[in-house]
Amino acid sequence: MTGAVPGLVRFRARLSSALPWTVDVQDAAGSPVASSAGLGPNVDWTWDASLLAPGSYSYAISSEESVTPAVGTIGGGAEGALSVTGLVADPETVSPNEDDIADGTTITYTLSSAANVTVK
């Protein structure tokens, strides 16, 4: 991805074969602001974001096939910076061996502002 909001933002990716692909862009609240789709081994789409306000946007380049999506953010800088406080895992150690003892954990935290969160 190259470019900035406001302005032109170009998304490029290479797939292992000719596949259907989609590029989705969301604003900081998670609302869709732009999307494009195509078919082929290469993703190449330029989004005209010249009329949008500066801020933090997220994107995903994905395929309907079994392809791990490429995700990232556009903009944000200090204005869109997000801080996490009070991060706690209970229990801290997890042993997922189906013995009903510490097979999972609960993670709690506080964000400085509303945001979409993905955990892997």
Side-chain angles (χ1 to χ4, degrees), residues 33-57:
V33 294
S35 184
S36 185
L39 173 67
N42 296 306
V43 176
D44 193 351
W45 173 55
T46 300
W47 170 42
D48 184 357
S50 57
L51 298 178
L52 292 175
S56 182
Y57 296 84

Side-chain angles (χ1 to χ4, degrees), residues 14-82:
R14 185 177 11 213
L15 304 171
S16 58
S17 62
L19 297 170
W21 54 262
T22 304
V23 179
D24 294 305
V25 182
Q26 297 179 333
D27 63 17
S31 299
V33 294
S35 184
S36 185
L39 173 67
N42 296 306
V43 176
D44 193 351
W45 173 55
T46 300
W47 170 42
D48 184 357
S50 57
L51 298 178
L52 292 175
S56 182
Y57 296 84
S58 62
Y59 68 88
I61 302 172
S62 58
S63 175
E64 296 173 4
E65 307 295 325
S66 298
V67 175
T68 301
V71 298
T73 58
I74 306 163
E79 180 181 313
L82 182 68

Side-chain angles (χ1 to χ4, degrees), residues 101-114:
I101 301 171
D103 285 336
T105 190
T106 299
I107 298 174
T108 57
Y109 55 90
T110 302
L111 299 176
S112 59
S113 62

